[in-house]
Amino acid sequence: MPLASIDRIEAAANYVEIHAQGKTYLYRATMAAVEAELGPAFARIHRSRLVRRDAVPPIDSRQSREFPVPLANADLRPRSRR
């Protein structure tokens, strides 16, 4: 699967869910292992979520210091304050 087709990756117990082109694939791995394998093309925006860096448009922070990360496909994902 080409990295450019992956929008986001989310933790799911002993698996990760790979969301790509409107489909979801399960892969047995830890988030840390997947993050290390993918390298700098992906950013961890939450302890259970990775997004492809070039799929994220500019981010607008809110007064609460929390802000959603909009993906190119218009899907909003919460991001931790850290």
Side-chain angles (χ1 to χ4, degrees), residues 1-81:
M1 174 181 310
L3 291 182
S5 68
I6 300 172
D7 296 317
R8 69 184 186 278
I9 299 170
E10 297 180 349
N14 293 331
Y15 294 84
V16 294
E17 292 179 346
I18 300 171
H19 298 269
Q21 299 175 334
K23 296 182 180 178
T24 302
Y25 304 92
L26 282 177
Y27 178 61
R28 188 169 176 94
T30 65
M31 287 296 287
V34 171
E35 183 178 24
E37 187 176 330
L38 294 173
F42 284 76
R44 188 175 289 215
I45 62 167
H46 187 269
R47 67 184 185 93
S48 64
R49 197 167 294 121
L50 293 166
V51 294
R52 195 177 77 244
R53 287 181 188 268
D54 63 356
V56 179
I59 298 171
D60 179 35
S61 64
R62 307 253 165 91
Q63 286 183 334
S64 64
R65 296 186 316 153
E66 291 183 352
F67 47 93
V69 175
L71 298 179
N73 68 357
D75 192 11
L76 293 177
R77 292 290 156 189
R79 183 214 168 284
S80 67
R81 285 182 243 174

